[in-house]
Amino acid sequence: MRALDLDYMLGLVPVILGYVPLTLIMAGAGMVLALILGSLLAVERVFKVPVLDWLVMLFISFFRGTPLLVQLFLFYYGLPQVLSFLTQINGVTAAIMGLTLHFSAYMAESIRAAIAGVDRSQWEAAQSIGMTQGQMMRRIVLPQATRIAAPTLVNYFIDMIKGTSLAFTLGVTEMMGAAQKEAAGSFLYFEAFLVVAIIYWIIVEILNQGQQRLEIWLNKGYVR
Amino acid sequence: MLKQILPAISVAATIAGAPVLAQDTETLRVGMSGGYFPFTFVRQDELQGFEVDVMNAVGEEAGLEIEFETMSFSGLIGALEAERIDTIANQITITPEREAKFIFTQPYVVDGAQVVTREGNSEIEGIEDLSGKTVAVNLGSNFEQLLRDLPNADEIDIRTYESNIEQDTALGRVDAFVMDRVSSAQVIAESPLPLELAGAPFSEIRNALPFRSDEAGQAMRDRVDAALTSLQEDGTLTEISHKWFDSDITKSAE
C-alpha cells in the first residue's frame, strides 16, 4: 500500500473548483428549463388533450425509457448526421438540452402526481367562485402541488448535477473530465477521483441544507 | 472555462435567429483526448504534451490559429465527421479503413505496437503468449484492430476501455494492455504504476493527422502537410521529440 499524495490532492482542489461554475450552469439551466417543460407536460397529462396526450406520453416514455448517456450521444453525434444544422450546437448546449429533455420527463410524472395530490375540494371551491381553468391551476392547484413536489424536484436537481459528469463524453471538460485528464497525466487515480468525489459531495450537501429550508418555508401555511 | 460558456451563449443566439457567424478560415480546430501521456495530457489544468507542441509549431509555420478541443478518445472520430473539429492530434495511425474515410498528412511519428504487463509477469513475452489472456486496449484505437487481426485473436479476451488501461493492468484486472511503444515506455518510466514492457514491438505504425476528404479539408490538409515538411526539414520535429522522449520518434528507426 502506498500513502496518499496529499500535496497532489491539495494542488488539484483549486483546479477542480474552477470547473464548479460550469457544472452549476449546466445543471441550473437544465433545471429551470426542465421545470418549465415538465410542468407543461404534467398539466397536459392532467387535462388529457386529445392527440397531444398521446404525443406527451410517447415523449415521457422515450426519455424515461432510455439512458441519459444514450440520449446525449444521440443528439450530439447521431442527429447531426441527419440534420446538419445541429453541428452548430456545442457540447455545453447539447448537454443542457439532454438534461432538460431527460429530467422533464421524470419531473412531469412527479408534478402530475403532486397535482393529483391536491384535494379535489380545492378544485371544486375554485370552480364554485367562477375561476377559469387557467386561474385555478395558477392560483390554487400549482402552488399547493409545488409543496408536495418540492422534495422530489430537489432530488432531480441533485441527479442532474451528477448527470453533468457525462458531458465529458461530448467534449465538455467539466469537473469529472478535468479529474480524468489530470489522472491520465499523473497516474494518481485514487487522489484525482477522490478530490472530485468530495467536491460533488460538498455541493450536494449544501443543496440538502437548502432543501430543508425550502421545505420549512413551503410548509409555513400548514404548521399547526 | 469561459471559452466553453461563451460559444454556448453565441450558439443560443444563433438558434434564436441571429445570423450564423462565419467560420474563421484561419482557425484550425484540433481534437485530442487530453488523456494520452505524454502525447496529450493535463497537469494543473494545463494542456500539454508532444501533440500540443507539434500543433503549435504547425500553427506558427502555416499561419493558422490553433484551437484545442479535448474530448474522450472514442468521440474524436465522430466529432471530425460531424465537422466539430478539423483534425485529430492524438497519434492517429494510418489504416486502410481510416484512409477510405479521411485524408491524411504525411506521418509525423513512426512507432510500434507494444504489449505491456504488470511488473514481474514473466508469462507474457510477446503476442503468441496472449492466447488465453485478457488484454486491455483503448476503444476505437488502432491497437484494437491490430489485436483482432492477430492469428490467435480468437483465443484472446480483448477488453475495450474508454481510458485507464494502464491502471487496470497494474491492478491485475487484465493480464496486459497494448499501446504504442513510445508512450508505453514513457508511462513505465514516469508513472508510479508497476508495469513493464513484454517483448519487442510487434507492428510498425505510422501516425498522421486526418482531415475530412471534402474540398476545405483537402486545402487544410495540404497547408498542414507543407508545414510538417518544413518542420521536419528544419529539425523542429526532432527537437520536440527529444524534449518529450529523449529520442527521435518522428523518423523511421531504420
Side-chain angles (χ1 to χ4, degrees), chain B residues 150-204:
Chain B
L150 289 177
N152 55 342
D154 289 349
E155 293 154 34
I156 306 174
D157 182 1
I158 300 168
R159 306 258 173 98
T160 49
Y161 281 66
E162 192 68 57
S163 49
N164 310 334
I165 54 174
E166 303 93 338
Q167 167 78 334
D168 251 24
T169 306
L171 291 174
R173 290 200 191 116
V174 291
D175 296 307
F177 71 81
V178 171
M179 204 162 79
D180 71 271
R181 176 187 56 88
V182 170
S183 35
S184 302
Q186 214 63 20
V187 167
I188 290 166
E190 297 207 12
S191 82
L193 302 178
L195 297 168
E196 65 183 24
L197 301 179
F202 62 89
S203 171
E204 189 187 83

Side-chain angles (χ1 to χ4, degrees), chain B:
Chain B
M1 196 206 67
L2 215 82
K3 265 194 235 152
Q4 290 180 316
I5 296 171
L6 287 178
I9 294 165
S10 77
V11 163
T14 310
I15 296 164
V20 178
L21 293 166
Q23 179 69 47
D24 187 359
T25 48
E26 295 299 295
T27 302
L28 181 65
R29 295 168 301 172
V30 180
M32 50 175 59
S33 68
Y36 197 42
F37 180 83
F39 288 102
T40 158
F41 65 101
V42 173
R43 255 180 211 161
Q44 289 288 306
D45 220 12
E46 197 192 323
L47 187 64
Q48 49 194 301
F50 174 84
E51 300 281 11
V52 176
D53 287 356
V54 168
M55 291 319 295
N56 281 332
V58 164
E60 208 162 300
E61 185 68 33
L64 292 163
E65 174 125 9
I66 304 291
E67 217 177 87
F68 293 110
E69 306 245 5
T70 52
M71 63 188 81
S72 55
F73 181 79
S74 56
L76 286 169
I77 296 276
L80 179 58
E81 276 186 281
E83 303 186 22
R84 296 188 188 283
I85 50 176
D86 301 313
T87 188
I88 306 169
N90 207 102
Q91 291 301 295
I92 302 299
T93 299
I94 304 174
T95 64
E97 295 83 8
R98 287 176 182 156
E99 272 188 310
K101 216 161 203 174
F102 302 110
I103 48 171
F104 281 90
T105 60
Q106 60 189 290
Y108 63 103
V109 165
V110 181
D111 202 348
Q114 175 72 49
V115 181
V116 181
T117 59
R118 194 188 151 85
E119 208 169 41
N121 183 345
S122 52
E123 278 180 47
I124 301 173
E125 288 301 334
I127 45 172
E128 322 74 51
D129 304 328
L130 293 179
S131 300
K133 299 285 194 287
T134 51
V135 182
V137 69
N138 278 318
L139 175 65
S141 74
N142 156 62
F143 302 107
E144 183 187 346
Q145 202 50 49
L146 276 180
L147 272 175
R148 297 199 190 280
D149 291 344
L150 289 177
N152 55 342
D154 289 349
E155 293 154 34
I156 306 174
D157 182 1
I158 300 168
R159 306 258 173 98
T160 49
Y161 281 66
E162 192 68 57
S163 49
N164 310 334
I165 54 174
E166 303 93 338
Q167 167 78 334
D168 251 24
T169 306
L171 291 174
R173 290 200 191 116
V174 291
D175 296 307
F177 71 81
V178 171
M179 204 162 79
D180 71 271
R181 176 187 56 88
V182 170
S183 35
S184 302
Q186 214 63 20
V187 167
I188 290 166
E190 297 207 12
S191 82
L193 302 178
L195 297 168
E196 65 183 24
L197 301 179
F202 62 89
S203 171
E204 189 187 83
I205 51 179
R206 299 175 314 128
N207 300 333
L209 300 166
F211 288 84
R212 279 182 303 278
S213 58
D214 55 17
E215 208 172 306
Q218 199 110 30
M220 193 54 100
R221 194 275 309 262
D222 294 346
R223 211 165 145 183
V224 170
D225 198 55
L228 281 175
T229 302
S230 10
L231 293 172
Q232 189 72 265
E233 277 165 5
D234 70 9
T236 310
L237 284 186
T238 305
E239 199 180 302
I240 295 172
S241 174
H242 273 281
K243 172 181 166 191
W244 293 102
F245 303 101
D246 290 324
S247 64
D248 192 356
I249 63 165
T250 65
K251 291 188 186 93
S252 199
E254 262 98 30

Side-chain angles (χ1 to χ4, degrees), chain A residues 11 15 18-19 22 25 76-77 80 86-90 92-93 168-169 171-173 180-182 184-187 189, chain B residues 1 4-5 7-8 11 33-35 37 41-45 70-72 75 82 84 163-164 166-167 187 191-193:
Chain A
V15 173
Y19 289 93
L22 178 63
I25 284 170
Y76 196 67
Y77 297 114
L86 281 174
T87 55
Q88 297 289 322
I89 293 174
N90 69 2
V92 175
T93 317
F168 185 45
T169 56
V172 179
T173 301
Q180 174 68 52
K181 285 194 282 187
E182 296 283 348
S186 67
F187 297 93
Y189 298 94
Chain B
M1 196 206 67
Q4 290 180 316
I5 296 171
V11 163
S33 68
F37 180 83
F41 65 101
V42 173
R43 255 180 211 161
Q44 289 288 306
D45 220 12
T70 52
M71 63 188 81
S72 55
R84 296 188 188 283
S163 49
N164 310 334
E166 303 93 338
Q167 167 78 334
V187 167
S191 82
L193 302 178

